[in-house]
Amino acid sequence: MFDLGWSELLLIGVVALIVVGPKDLPGMFREIGRFTGKAKAMAREFSRAMEDAADESGVRDIQKTIKAAADPKGFGTDALKKNLKPGGATEKLSEERAETRRKIEEATGKAASERRAREAAAPTDEELADLEPDFEPELEPEPISAPAEPVEPAKPASPARKDDTTS
């Protein structure tokens, strides 16, 4: 439970010998043993009470039913496996799919070879550069002009009151 090895127990014993002393050490170990025994007895009693409560409420019956339903032997799959014959519908379907896959690979292979042939016949970037004239238009940026008159910030509108008489 606590996963204590011999080296840890030896260390605990040496520390207890130093702290408690050799005279009171056997009595302390006796008390620890009694306490541990009582704790284990309480744990056993608790688990036994929980098992009894589960038996009374029918949890065990439900658990057995679920295990029986989840058991593959109860599904009857063994009988199905015995009746499988080679050359059934599944095998035909897999053969059809393999044939379709082969046809697609052939078609894409032809398309890829045709694309490579077109790319080989197309002019390269260097050839296109020789065909294009060396024309670069000169663009000058437009100057941004400031407004002729200064712009005044807008004044916030005041909410109208009932006692205001502005007409």
Side-chain angles (χ1 to χ4, degrees), residues 25-42:
L25 193 61
M28 185 189 75
F29 282 141
R30 196 175 308 116
E31 288 298 319
I32 290 174
R34 286 181 188 158
F35 176 74
T36 306
K38 287 179 183 179
K40 285 183 180 180
M42 289 173 59

Side-chain angles (χ1 to χ4, degrees), residues 146-154:
E149 296 179 19
V151 179
E152 294 180 24

Side-chain angles (χ1 to χ4, degrees), residues 26-160:
M28 185 189 75
F29 282 141
R30 196 175 308 116
E31 288 298 319
I32 290 174
R34 286 181 188 158
F35 176 74
T36 306
K38 287 179 183 179
K40 285 183 180 180
M42 289 173 59
R44 276 193 304 269
E45 181 64 31
F46 178 75
S47 64
R48 194 174 303 128
M50 293 303 290
E51 288 175 5
D52 291 341
D55 287 340
E56 289 176 9
S57 66
V59 172
R60 291 269 171 101
D61 296 335
I62 294 171
Q63 184 180 12
K64 288 178 184 177
T65 306
I66 291 173
K67 283 185 179 180
D71 187 18
K73 293 178 183 176
F75 290 142
T77 55
D78 293 336
L80 290 175
K81 290 179 182 177
K82 290 178 184 176
N83 292 333
L84 288 179
K85 298 175 185 174
T90 307
E91 190 172 327
K92 289 178 186 176
L93 182 61
S94 65
E95 288 173 1
E96 289 174 5
R97 287 184 178 172
E99 180 66 22
T100 305
R101 186 180 311 116
R102 186 186 57 77
K103 287 179 182 178
I104 290 172
E105 288 173 356
E106 285 179 6
T108 56
K110 288 179 185 177
S113 62
E114 290 173 2
R115 188 184 72 238
R116 279 189 234 112
R118 274 188 267 125
E119 288 174 356
T124 62
D125 290 339
E126 294 172 355
E127 293 172 346
L128 289 175
D130 291 339
L131 295 175
E132 294 178 3
D134 294 331
F135 175 73
E136 294 182 21
E138 296 180 20
L139 298 175
E140 294 181 18
E142 272 187 43
I144 299 175
S145 60
E149 296 179 19
V151 179
E152 294 180 24
K155 295 180 184 177
S158 62

